[in-house]
Amino acid sequence: MILEVVSVIVFFNEKIETMSRGDLDSLIEERIRYTVKYASENSPFYKKWFKEHGINPSDVRTHEDLRELPIISGKTIREYQPPESTDFQFRSVDWREVFTLHETSGTSGTPKAFFLTWQDWERYAEKYARSFVSQGFGPGDRVVVCASYGMNIGANTMTLAAREIGITIIPIGKCTFPSRVIKNYKPTGIVGSVFKLLALARQMKNENILPQESSIRRLVVGGESFADESRAYLAEMWGCQVYNTYGSTEGTMCGECTDLGGLHVPEDLVHLDIYDPALKNFVRDGDCGRIVLTTLLPVGGKSGTLLLNYDTEDTTAVITRKRCACGRTHMKIMNPQRESETFWVAETPFNRVDVERGVFQRENMEYLTGEYEAFLYGGDDEGETILRVSVECLDRDKCDRKAVEENFLRTFFRYKPLLEQVHAEGMFKIIFNFAGLRDLELYRIKGRPKRLVDRR
Ligand SMILES: [Zn+2]
């Protein structure tokens, strides 16, 4: 009897992904040295930056040396590109070697320009390829990409990643697509955002197609942070596993493996460090802080835009640098959150994700779609703050409002004793608004919805 041999790819780049910590650290340091040298010779910005800070680039040799360098931010990039500057001073190759150029969405001001060489494309694609393979995708999979193409890097480089693995891509570019795509092409995976995939599941149910019984085996979510509860509900709706990715124009592309215990950072291609702006210092593993990123180039490589010690304004913590159950040795980080979605009330920080967690309590989902928006207002009394939470009801009349409120408050105040105390004292009020279908403000605003807005 001849046994059928089924080839399953376990790793995209086994040698690199399973490298011992010692070898990986040596590789990283070799690339730090090369990248710093490349920056000082090819990036007009860094040429001046090293001189102005009195740093000799050849002295930057290790991970620790990198931590001594000043930190730059998105603001720095904007200051060194038109209209603030006559040229794009972060561009670090000749125009003839720029394959594509991209812009960040520009939600916080002028879009930042990014220049990519073909080598940059290959490295971005490799990061996605590793992530797809670690999630169990392989030859024969058909994946609908709902992330937008255009000036974004993610969807484009994901598509290139698929070519390396033998995945078929259905490049729809948005999450509102007719169900015939599911019925006719029988995709095995979808890349999209949590809320778009929830809306798609509702749309399919309305058309009498049960998402759980569809061809979809895996979902990949990214583009925004989410609560574990909303992920769990999405997984339940689709009857399959949901994997997280953290990608950005700057080139992070971290992905969750089948172990689901955090996102692997492709440490040989991007160096992530965690920084506490209040302490003005880097933190230990396990402590929360801002993600500071450094591009890593292989020796001899060229990059169109590279960044050293770049503050992403996203927050996370390193979970582990030990070998994962999946076999990978690259470190794992927590699901990053956006610093711009963190707000302070009564000396207590809370993130949009904390609000989302309160909404997505499982019992609430008998009454809610999961869509929500929240606003912070100053109250009439001095020092009073109001949080108004609007939730979309499946049926406004049948919604058990008391249960939804109680579930929300119980979850929201967990680990926030000070906030709970000012709530009890009446200085922090939470008002609930139970909206009908499509009745939230965010439906009337174009672009990525802002789900927690500070109107104080
Ligand atoms: Zn893993």
Side-chain angles (χ1 to χ4, degrees):
M1 196 178 93
I2 301 165
L3 286 172
E4 192 190 350
V5 179
V6 182
S7 69
V8 179
I9 326 177
V10 183
F11 301 102
F12 180 75
N13 186 341
E14 185 167 0
K15 184 168 171 268
I16 295 278
E17 290 178 85
T18 62
M19 204 172 239
S20 72
R21 178 46 57 183
D23 289 349
L24 183 57
D25 283 342
S26 313
L27 180 71
I28 292 167
E29 295 203 338
E30 179 189 74
R31 291 185 175 186
I32 288 175
R33 290 194 287 273
Y34 175 75
T35 306
V36 167
K37 182 171 179 285
Y38 182 90
S40 70
E41 290 168 359
N42 295 284
S43 159
F45 170 79
Y46 283 112
K47 246 182 241 177
K48 265 182 273 170
W49 188 73
F50 281 116
K51 202 172 283 170
E52 278 167 14
H53 288 95
I55 304 159
N56 181 356
S58 59
D59 289 343
V60 185
R61 307 185 60 79
T62 64
H63 168 86
E64 282 70 29
D65 296 338
L66 208 53
R67 289 183 155 197
E68 300 296 319
L69 302 181
I71 288 175
I72 66 154
S73 67
K75 192 167 156 268
T76 321
I77 299 181
R78 288 191 192 96
E79 280 169 1
Y80 289 89
Q81 70 172 35
E84 306 295 325
S85 159
T86 50
D87 199 3
F88 293 94
Q89 298 196 38
F90 275 87
R91 180 169 55 84
S92 53
V93 283
D94 187 86
W95 267 114
R96 280 168 296 185
E97 292 190 66
V98 175
F99 173 53
T100 53
L101 63 86
H102 301 261
E103 284 182 345
T104 56
S105 53
T107 39
S108 42
T110 321
K112 296 180 295 248
F114 273 83
F115 302 90
L116 266 68
T117 61
W118 175 243
Q119 283 186 9
D120 288 316
W121 269 71
E122 289 182 317
R123 283 189 291 268
Y124 277 45
E126 166 146 7
K127 287 181 249 188
Y128 275 122
R130 289 184 198 174
S131 170
F132 278 138
V133 171
S134 79
Q135 293 158 356
F137 287 100
D141 270 307
R142 287 189 286 282
V143 176
V144 182
V145 174
C146 296
S148 82
Y149 283 77
M151 293 295 256
N152 281 333
I153 285 176
N156 290 295
T157 50
M158 251 179 234
T159 303
L160 182 63
R163 174 183 178 266
E164 309 292 326
I165 312 168
I167 294 176
T168 301
I169 290 287
I170 307 174
I172 287 179
K174 53 184 196 264
C175 247
T176 44
F177 56 82
S179 357
R180 72 176 157 77
V181 173
I182 303 270
K183 272 194 279 190
N184 299 354
Y185 304 122
K186 300 193 171 41
T188 56
I190 311 178
V191 179
S193 74
V194 170
F195 286 93
K196 298 279 174 58
L197 291 167
L198 283 174
L200 180 63
R202 281 199 300 277
Q203 179 204 319
M204 285 166 64
K205 275 181 156 175
N206 288 340
E207 295 171 37
N208 292 317
I209 308 167
L210 285 180
Q212 297 98 316
E213 290 170 11
S214 72
S215 52
I216 300 298
R217 298 282 164 267
R218 291 173 192 87
L219 298 175
V220 179
V221 294
E224 60 193 10
S225 54
F226 52 81
D228 284 340
E229 286 82 352
S230 49
R231 182 225 296 260
Y233 184 62
L234 183 64
E236 185 188 322
M237 290 276 271
W238 283 89
C240 70
Q241 205 53 264
V242 178
Y243 297 102
N244 189 16
T245 54
Y246 167 64
S248 64
T249 312
E250 293 84 0
T252 45
M253 285 86 176
C254 303
E256 229 172 6
C257 65
T258 46
D259 192 50
L260 287 174
L263 296 96
H264 282 289
V265 177
E267 284 190 74
D268 58 313
L269 295 172
V270 59
H271 183 272
L272 293 194
D273 227 331
I274 316 297
Y275 182 83
D276 183 339
L279 293 175
K280 292 203 183 311
N281 209 344
F282 289 90
V283 302
R284 288 172 312 185
D285 288 1
D287 287 351
C288 202
R290 293 240 198 115
I291 302 175
V292 170
L293 165 159
T294 294
T295 318
L296 290 183
L297 294 180
V299 174
K302 286 181 174 184
S303 178
T305 304
L306 59 82
L307 300 168
L308 306 176
N309 269 11
Y310 174 80
D311 182 349
T312 59
E313 291 174 36
D314 291 338
T315 57
T316 191
V318 173
I319 298 172
T320 179
R321 293 176 201 263
K322 293 208 174 81
R323 187 181 295 269
C324 175
C326 76
R328 288 169 183 79
T329 50
H330 292 224
M331 73 175 184
K332 294 202 285 190
I333 57 168
M334 277 169 44
N335 188 0
Q337 297 188 344
R338 278 180 215 278
E339 182 91 345
S340 61
E341 292 183 328
T342 298
F343 300 91
W344 291 75
V345 173
E347 290 164 43
T348 307
F350 67 91
N351 191 272
R352 176 187 57 77
V353 170
D354 295 313
V355 176
E356 184 169 310
R357 185 169 293 127
V359 173
F360 274 88
Q361 290 304 297
R362 185 59 191 87
E363 199 194 334
N364 292 356
M365 302 317 290
E366 301 300 323
Y367 311 108
L368 308 178
T369 63
E371 292 287 348
Y372 70 92
E373 59 192 4
F375 303 95
L376 274 167
Y377 301 96
D380 293 336
D381 291 337
E382 174 91 20
E384 189 187 59
T385 308
I386 297 165
L387 175 68
R388 185 170 182 270
V389 181
S390 294
V391 289
E392 187 183 50
C393 304
L394 289 163
D395 182 340
R396 263 186 103 216
D397 299 329
K398 287 185 188 149
C399 178
D400 185 345
R401 301 180 182 202
K402 197 159 172 285
V404 171
E405 287 183 19
E406 281 173 6
N407 288 327
F408 181 96
L409 294 174
R410 193 189 57 243
T411 325
F412 186 74
F413 287 129
R414 199 182 295 157
Y415 315 120
K416 296 182 185 64
L418 217 54
L419 207 56
E420 188 167 19
Q421 191 189 326
V422 289
H423 180 254
E425 290 163 358
M427 292 305 280
F428 177 49
K429 295 197 171 96
I430 300 184
I431 299 169
F432 292 89
N433 171 42
F434 293 86
L437 287 174
R438 313 274 316 160
D439 223 7
L440 296 175
E441 281 186 34
L442 58 85
Y443 287 115
R444 296 190 283 278
I445 298 161
K446 271 203 158 39
R448 179 184 291 186
K450 274 195 149 171
R451 293 180 188 276
L452 178 53
V453 183
D454 195 345
R455 289 182 175 162
R456 282 179 290 185

